[in-house]
């Protein structure tokens, strides 16, 4: 990723990244190191992988700690990015109680740490706080439509409660908080068995296996390429303390899942055909961010078109699958 000279202003900052060996976390660690920060990556390797950060282990400014953030953590750092939490429905539903614990107890511990050290803390929240939205596209002011007892609730309600904790630590203890709501983000280093739609479709297409569309494929998502997202995340951390968020970060170009399948088949020249499967319970029918706030306050907009991002992601999976 290219770094603009004006962005190199964080020399010697010690930054804690929880979930740092995951998909987004590994890109964030890489970018922070490139910009001169020291990075402490904390991960319990539930969905994260060593391969995502192997190339960083040689870097003297990078440190890795295997730790589960549902337990207290006493370290000395200058800022925290709290990303630890499985993000794919397949993974977060595998052990739903642990998913809620990670969001809620993890947030309490990381906020306790930020409070003790009087430092800034950023929470990787999600468009899932909007649930199956009745307002389209979604502004930050929309309060959402989440089923509190369904199979997605461990993630959605866990993330909602984490937002509550962030705002209560802000109001009650003056902790400097930054909350971003991330919309579907994809790119290299997604886990091949992650279960999310972009990685599933690419892996299936490259193997000429059937592409599994859940439901009729008319549900929509808006896909953001990882480099764009990481730029937005860092811009949010560096913004004025008064900007607590929540701020939506995502790419407002909306596609149906069927369109995504067709694009992936075309870009991989695959012989795959489409296999329609039942739609999972509570699967949101539409999702698209309003990003006016990020544009105005952060000067941030995504720049990478879906086709361009898919080509980069396909290249990654092509190399990865050769090693499997
Ligand atoms: P990921 O599953 O690749 O990464 C999550 C990381 O957190 C993994 O490395 C995992 O091992 C680690 N982790 C999980 N539980 C932990 C615990 N208790 N203690 C320590 N580490 C733990 O997912 P991702 O896509 O990189 O998502 C990162 C964050 O961004 C998550 O909080 C997710 O909710 C949020 N997010 C991602 C997206 C997206 O589209 N990728 C969208 C919205 C929100
Ligand atoms: N905590 C932590 N690291 C720290 C400071 C606190 O993990 O550096 C944990 C601590 O174990 C506590 C939680 O964060 O359970 C919340 O801290 P807070 O100070 O808000 O609450 P208290 O300690 O008063 O219960
Ligand atoms: N999906 C699909 N086939 C797959 C994986 C997912 O049709 O193999 C659908 C899923 O039902 C949802 C959309 O793609 O409507 C996005 O799913 P994903 O798990 O990537 O993210 P989320 O639902 O959390 O946005």
């Amino acid at each position: 990723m290219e770094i603009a000279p004006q962005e190199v202003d964080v020399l010697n900052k010690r930054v804690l990244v929880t979930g740092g060996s995951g998909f987004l976390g590994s890109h964030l660690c890489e970018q922070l190191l490139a910009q001169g920060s020291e990075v402490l990556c904390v991960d319990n390797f539930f969905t994260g992988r060593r391969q995502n950060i192997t190339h960083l282990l040689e870097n003297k400014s990078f440190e890795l700690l295997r730790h589960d953030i549902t337990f207290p953590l006493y370290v000395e750092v200058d800022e925290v990015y709290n990303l630890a939490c499985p993000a794919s429905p397949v993974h977060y539903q595998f052990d739903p109680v642990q998913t809620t614990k990670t969001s809620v107890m993890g947030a309490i511990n990381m906020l306790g740490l930020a409070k003790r050290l009087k430092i800034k803390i950023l929470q990787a929240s999600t468009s899932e706080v909007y649930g199956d939205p009745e307002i389209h596209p979604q502004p930050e002011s929309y309060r959402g439509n989440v089923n509190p007892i369904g199979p997605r609730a461990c993630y959605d309600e866990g993330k909602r409660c984490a937002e509550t904790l962030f705002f209560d630590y802000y109001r009650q203890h003056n902790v400097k908080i930054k909350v971003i709501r991330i919309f579907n983000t994809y790119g290299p280093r997604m886990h091949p068995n992650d279960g999310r739609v972009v990685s599933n479709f690419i892996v299936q297409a490259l193997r000429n296996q059937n592409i599994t569309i859940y439901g009729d494929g008319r549900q929509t998502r808006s896909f953001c390429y990882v480099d764009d997202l990481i730029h937005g995340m860092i811009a949010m951390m560096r913004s004025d303390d008064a900007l607590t968020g929540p701020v939506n970060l995502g790419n407002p170009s909306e596609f149906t899942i069927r369109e995504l399948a067709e694009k992936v088949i075309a870009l991989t020249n695959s012989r795959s055909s489409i296999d329609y499967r039942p739609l999972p319970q509570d699967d949101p029918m539409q999702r698209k961010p309003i990003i006016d706030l990020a544009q105005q306050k952060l000067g941030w907009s995504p720049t990478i078109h879906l086709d361009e991002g898919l080509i980069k992601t396909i290249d990654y999976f092509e190399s990865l699958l050769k090693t499997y």
Side-chain angles (χ1 to χ4, degrees):
M1 201 189 298
E2 291 287 318
I3 310 156
Q6 67 271 21
E7 288 183 29
V8 186
D9 65 350
V10 286
L11 290 175
N12 299 326
K13 231 180 214 166
R14 292 161 304 171
V15 185
L16 167 60
V17 178
T18 76
S21 73
F23 160 51
L24 295 182
S26 62
H27 286 275
L28 177 64
C29 290
E30 193 174 85
Q31 182 66 359
L32 290 169
L33 286 167
Q35 297 184 15
S37 296
E38 289 179 26
V39 173
L40 171 60
C41 164
V42 167
D43 206 295
N44 69 349
F45 291 105
F46 176 54
T47 51
R49 293 185 306 157
R50 240 170 203 285
Q51 297 98 294
N52 287 345
I53 48 160
T54 313
H55 62 298
L56 305 179
L57 291 170
E58 296 292 304
N59 190 324
K60 286 197 184 64
S61 299
F62 183 76
E63 203 178 340
L64 171 65
L65 177 66
R66 181 188 282 263
H67 172 81
D68 179 333
I69 63 155
T70 62
F71 297 99
L73 175 68
Y74 286 81
V75 291
E76 309 308 308
V77 290
D78 300 314
E79 57 191 29
V80 184
Y81 288 85
N82 188 35
L83 272 63
C85 185
S88 141
V90 176
H91 287 148
Y92 70 64
Q93 291 173 24
F94 174 77
D95 185 350
V97 172
Q98 172 68 10
T99 299
T100 303
K101 280 187 188 172
T102 293
S103 279
V104 176
M105 293 161 67
I108 292 173
N109 288 326
M110 293 307 104
L111 284 160
L113 183 140
K115 177 185 139 197
R116 175 175 66 82
L117 298 171
K118 300 186 172 50
I119 57 172
K120 267 196 259 190
I121 178 166
L122 179 143
Q123 168 67 358
S125 191
T126 168
S127 53
E128 282 286 319
V129 300
Y130 302 124
D132 190 4
E134 290 154 319
I135 288 184
H136 193 72
Q138 293 81 51
E140 288 86 352
S141 56
Y142 177 48
R143 293 182 186 178
N145 175 35
V146 173
N147 174 3
I149 57 168
R152 298 175 83 100
C154 58
Y155 184 74
D156 300 8
E157 298 290 15
K159 289 283 190 180
R160 286 170 68 95
C161 185
E163 287 200 11
T164 307
L165 285 161
F166 268 69
F167 278 84
D168 282 333
Y169 269 79
Y170 166 67
R171 284 183 290 252
Q172 199 175 329
H173 298 303
N174 298 314
V175 172
K176 295 173 198 162
I177 60 157
K178 302 275 173 191
V179 176
I180 55 170
R181 291 183 178 153
I182 304 170
F183 284 65
N184 298 63
T185 300
Y186 68 98
R189 302 204 197 119
M190 293 185 92
H191 197 293
N193 302 324
D194 181 280
R196 280 181 276 189
V197 69
V198 174
S199 44
N200 267 12
F201 284 5
I202 292 178
V203 170
Q204 290 162 345
L206 289 173
R207 290 177 168 156
N208 293 306
Q209 294 168 345
N210 284 348
I211 304 270
T212 52
I213 290 188
Y214 304 156
D216 59 13
R218 281 188 299 151
Q219 71 270 39
T220 69
R221 293 293 186 274
S222 305
F223 298 101
C224 185
Y225 187 67
V226 59
D227 289 2
D228 278 334
L229 195 277
I230 299 298
H231 276 305
M233 195 184 281
I234 294 176
M236 180 64 177
M237 181 62 109
R238 300 216 187 127
S239 65
D240 193 284
D241 285 354
L243 183 64
T244 57
V247 173
N248 285 342
L249 291 183
N251 191 323
S253 309
E254 185 182 12
F255 296 88
T256 67
I257 294 304
R258 210 198 141 87
E259 283 168 338
L260 177 72
E262 284 161 359
K263 265 188 193 298
V264 170
I265 290 173
L267 290 170
T268 51
N269 292 316
S270 175
R271 297 190 302 278
S272 296
S273 44
I274 289 176
D275 176 13
Y276 290 93
R277 303 263 181 96
L279 188 68
Q281 188 190 331
D282 295 339
D283 199 285
M285 284 313 294
Q286 51 186 1
R287 193 184 280 155
K288 169 180 170 160
I290 291 180
I291 59 164
D292 295 3
L293 193 59
Q295 283 172 331
Q296 286 158 17
K297 299 282 183 186
L298 307 176
W300 176 86
S301 300
T303 57
I304 298 167
H305 186 271
L306 182 59
D307 287 48
E308 190 189 342
L310 284 177
I311 290 168
K312 291 173 197 262
T313 313
I314 290 165
D315 283 351
Y316 167 78
F317 278 110
E318 244 170 355
S319 316
L320 186 80
L321 293 183
K322 283 187 194 134
T323 67
Y324 265 58

